[in-house]
Amino acid sequence: MNIDRFRGVCMHAVQYFGKTSRKQLAQEECAELIQALSKDMRGKKHNVEEEIADVLIMIEQLTHIYDNYKIEKYREEKIDRLNKLME
Ligand SMILES: [Mg+2]
């Protein structure tokens, strides 16, 4: 996946469909991933990989709606905390 194309298409989607539409779809895609993980954990046929891809695409779109500076700051802090837990 070309990261510039990925970001460009996601940014365009926010402009084209609007923020409210993207927030609603992000909720739906997260719910679908939860459902797929639940099926997997119960040993049933699932599509977790497809739903992860959907959520990653929606997450990218959300970064163009919300404060990306804050997102990056939290991401850095939380990855550091995760890393410390494994030391
Ligand atoms: Mg989906």
Side-chain angles (χ1 to χ4, degrees):
M1 168 69 63
N2 177 309
I3 195 68
D4 291 333
R5 180 171 176 271
F6 176 72
R7 286 192 180 131
V9 171
C10 287
M11 200 181 304
H12 187 219
V14 173
Q15 294 164 347
Y16 188 87
F17 294 107
K19 293 177 182 178
T20 302
S21 150
R22 300 299 85 189
K23 292 174 190 179
Q24 286 171 343
L25 193 57
Q27 287 181 312
E28 289 173 25
E29 295 298 356
C30 286
E32 288 175 9
L33 177 57
I34 290 167
Q35 196 173 26
L37 286 165
S38 180
K39 282 183 184 174
D40 179 31
M41 292 168 75
R42 284 182 280 128
K44 296 192 170 184
K45 189 171 176 271
H46 65 82
N47 64 339
V48 169
E49 295 86 351
E50 179 183 357
E51 298 306 340
I52 289 171
D54 285 341
V55 168
L56 286 172
I57 290 167
M58 295 318 301
I59 292 292
E60 177 64 25
Q61 291 177 61
L62 292 175
T63 68
H64 297 286
I65 294 172
Y66 292 97
D67 186 337
N68 206 35
Y69 175 79
K70 283 184 185 175
I71 295 167
E72 285 304 316
K73 184 175 148 284
Y74 283 124
R75 189 159 80 150
E76 197 69 39
E77 287 171 8
K78 287 165 191 277
I79 205 72
D80 285 347
R81 190 166 55 194
L82 176 62
N83 192 39
K84 281 192 180 112
L85 285 173
M86 298 183 289
E87 285 175 357

